[in-house]
Amino acid sequence: MKMTLNFKNTTLAVFALLLSATTFAQQKTTPDYDQGFRLGFGLNAGVPTNEDFYNYALGADARLQYDLSKKTSLILTTGFTNLFVSNDRKDLGIVPVKAGFKAFVWEDQFYVLGEVGGAFAVTNKSNQHTYLFAPGIGYATKYIDVSLRYEGYTEYDTNQIALRLAYGFKL
């Protein structure tokens, strides 16, 4: 009886030791990623896909980014874009408002992003508003962000391919 009790105690002690060893082994050895906000200001130049009607696009934007992790971020972007019209028609100025997701896919600097939102016409008494979507790719360092995106509009007679050059910083 004494040997059975001793065996049970030894087995229980070994089990407890193994359990505590695996618990300590699973603790994090690297610090958590410092989540936070970034703010960026960018200049945009675009080529409209309907060259019969629009010549080019120029704009500026502000982007607020919240880093969920080192590789993923949520983004909000707004600004002003002017679509320069050919012929004798007036240009179209819009304010895009977009929300999206950014994922770093290579070396924590190259990323893909997707944005959706709306664009609101603000010039020449135009009231033509549209939904928009904007997938893109880019390269970002601590302060510089360069990206290329396709911006699709549901109501305008064109879409655009735009290059964005931006300066950003941590808030």
Side-chain angles (χ1 to χ4, degrees):
M1 179 82 167
K2 189 174 180 182
M3 186 170 157
T4 305
L5 188 58
N6 208 4
F7 179 73
K8 285 182 182 178
N9 288 342
T10 305
T11 304
L12 186 59
V14 168
F15 180 75
L17 183 64
L18 288 175
L19 183 63
S20 66
T22 58
T23 303
F24 289 121
Q26 291 180 5
Q27 288 181 350
K28 290 184 178 180
T29 57
T30 59
D32 288 336
Y33 179 73
D34 184 24
Q35 294 176 317
F37 287 97
R38 292 185 56 82
L39 182 61
F41 297 99
L43 297 174
N44 302 282
V47 177
T49 57
N50 183 352
E51 295 175 0
D52 295 335
F53 195 65
Y54 295 96
N55 290 330
Y56 58 95
L58 291 176
D61 65 37
R63 177 177 288 163
L64 182 64
Q65 175 176 313
Y66 180 71
D67 297 330
L68 297 171
S69 71
K70 191 172 183 179
K71 294 197 177 276
T72 58
S73 303
L74 297 176
I75 52 178
L76 292 173
T77 308
T78 190
F80 178 80
T81 299
N82 196 69
L83 297 168
F84 292 90
V85 179
S86 58
N87 303 330
D88 293 331
R89 299 184 67 170
K90 295 181 180 180
D91 297 342
L92 177 62
I94 59 172
V95 173
V97 178
K98 304 178 282 185
F101 184 77
K102 183 188 236 185
F104 288 88
V105 293
W106 187 39
E107 295 185 6
D108 298 337
Q109 292 181 322
F110 292 93
Y111 63 85
V112 295
L113 70 94
E115 296 176 294
V116 294
F120 306 94
V122 294
T123 60
N124 303 323
K125 298 181 183 176
S126 177
N127 62 358
Q128 189 177 15
H129 308 308
T130 183
Y131 294 106
L132 67 91
F133 62 96
I137 59 172
Y139 174 80
T141 65
K142 187 174 181 179
Y143 296 108
I144 303 297
D145 188 340
V146 179
S147 63
L148 184 67
R149 74 176 180 282
Y150 173 83
E151 199 160 75
Y153 308 107
T154 59
E155 298 298 323
Y156 301 150
D157 294 329
T158 191
N159 301 310
Q160 73 165 318
I161 298 170
L163 178 68
R164 177 178 187 261
L165 178 61
Y167 174 78
F169 53 90
K170 192 170 220 143
L171 293 178

